[in-house]
Amino acid sequence: MILCLGLSLRQASFNVRLARAAATLVREAGAGAEPVALRDLGIPPYDADVEATLGIPAPVHDLAERVRSARGVIIAFPEYNRAMAGVAKNAIDWLSRVRPYVFEGKPALLLSASSGRGAGAAALATSRPILEHVDAVVYAETFGLARAKEAFDEAGVIADPETAVRLRAVIAGWLASLPS
């Protein structure tokens, strides 16, 4: 099973749509996929005092188990102010507190969708070193989706055939790289 995370809280998030589109392409390639939206998980802001007094919240343990049991993770990162969104970093920060390490050796493919022309390049650039720091095995190629407001049709499918082919190729390459 491939876990496809859309790390956004926004109801109409482009990155949640991108994670769902990726899950569809993973299934078309013959693998199982589970799309998950951060907004549905209820993960609170990281607070070391909360962790010290109450422990790690149940939603974090739930996500940690999903990551651990997945063959690999595809993560779609929103971008704000030339970096990955704070809520995405918060989720990773919480997951980094769970032992044994959640991301250790976990294959990861990074995606980002942006309403502008930058295609989430800054989110992709800032998320890579953080995931590598928590021991994920980050695939060399990434996928950025520019002008995401116009990119999806009503069914959530990427409308531009060339863009869809490019995403399909990135996912196929990543899937082929996964350990058996």
Side-chain angles (χ1 to χ4, degrees):
M1 178 70 66
I2 303 300
L3 186 64
C4 300
L5 291 171
L7 292 184
S8 176
L9 297 178
R10 198 164 64 82
Q11 182 71 38
S13 166
F14 301 132
N15 285 285
V16 170
R17 290 184 203 175
L18 183 56
R20 288 181 183 141
T24 298
L25 294 174
V26 167
R27 288 186 201 107
E28 286 177 8
E34 177 189 10
V36 175
L38 181 62
R39 75 172 288 115
D40 297 334
L41 300 177
I43 294 177
Y46 179 74
D47 182 333
D49 292 335
V50 168
E51 182 183 6
T53 58
L54 302 174
I56 296 171
V60 176
H61 280 294
D62 176 55
L63 181 56
E65 186 52 39
R66 289 178 182 192
V67 171
R68 263 199 206 104
S69 64
R71 187 170 168 218
V73 292
I74 295 175
I75 308 173
F77 287 95
E79 177 180 299
Y80 298 118
N81 298 316
R82 304 286 302 146
M84 80 162 100
V87 295
K89 174 75 165 55
N90 180 71
I92 294 168
D93 288 345
W94 265 120
L95 289 171
S96 75
R97 306 299 297 161
V98 177
R99 300 294 182 268
Y101 289 116
V102 173
F103 286 106
E104 186 171 9
K106 186 65 60 179
L109 173 62
L110 310 183
L111 316 177
S112 187
S114 169
S115 59
R117 293 181 307 209
L124 294 168
T126 57
S127 59
R128 176 181 294 279
I130 292 165
L131 283 166
E132 289 174 342
H133 177 76
V134 296
D135 295 328
V137 179
V138 181
Y139 189 60
E141 193 170 356
T142 61
F143 177 85
L145 180 64
R147 295 183 177 94
K149 189 174 184 177
E150 299 92 34
F152 299 95
D153 65 16
E154 283 113 27
V157 175
I158 294 179
D160 177 54
E162 289 179 26
T163 303
V165 165
R166 191 168 52 90
L167 178 57
R168 184 175 282 108
V170 171
I171 290 172
W174 178 71
L175 289 170
S177 78
L178 297 179
S180 300

